[in-house]
Amino acid sequence: MALQTSAGSQIFIGTTAGDAITDSYQALAEVVDISEFGKSFQTIKHIAIDSRETRKIKGSFDAGGVTLKLGRDLSDSGQTALQSALDSDAAYNIQITLADTPASGLSPTPTSFYFKALVTSFTTVIGSADSLVGATAMLEISGPVTEVAAATGD
């Protein structure tokens, strides 16, 4: 696949339903940045005193989290759902789509990432005189991230 722009990508919040792929979602409006996310392993180091060599093995992994930067718009149903999820201990289904929907096909769909996440913060950013009032939200991924490739739907 060739390089592509992030412009046109979207993030959605679903419910606490068991199947993230078949859940219903609400788009989050005014998203200006979606941080990196993905599996990262801990490194376990072992240094035997007789050899002075550091040996390393992979330990546990963490799927990480997603930091969202938004233009704060509490009339948006997606941002309102995100704030409601903040007050819940449950993990919510999240979908992120890329702007790579095929131009042809019976029912084309973009590349999508699905995962469950705990909404652990939603803060207001006032900024400077030349800034929009914004918000920053933190989503802690709880479980695997499933990537579904763009498809023509044929």
Side-chain angles (χ1 to χ4, degrees), residues 45-141:
K45 295 180 180 182
H46 173 76
I47 306 169
I49 60 174
D50 65 338
S51 71
R52 297 172 45 164
E53 174 187 0
T54 301
R55 292 186 286 176
K56 300 173 188 172
I57 61 171
K58 285 168 90 175
S60 62
F61 68 86
D62 186 335
V66 176
T67 301
L68 300 176
K69 293 183 181 180
L70 310 124
R72 187 174 186 269
D73 179 4
L74 298 184
S75 68
D76 172 60
S77 61
Q79 287 192 29
T80 302
L82 197 63
Q83 277 200 313
S84 295
L86 176 62
D87 293 326
S88 172
D89 290 338
Y92 280 73
N93 292 321
I94 303 294
Q95 177 188 18
I96 297 174
T97 60
L98 302 181
D100 63 351
T101 304
S104 63
L106 295 176
S107 183
T109 56
T111 298
S112 294
F113 300 90
Y114 297 92
F115 53 87
K116 288 196 166 292
L118 301 167
V119 180
T120 58
S121 71
F122 188 101
T123 57
T124 300
V125 180
I126 303 298
S128 68
D130 290 326
S131 299
L132 292 174
V133 174
T136 301
M138 184 64 201
L139 311 177
E140 290 292 343
I141 299 172

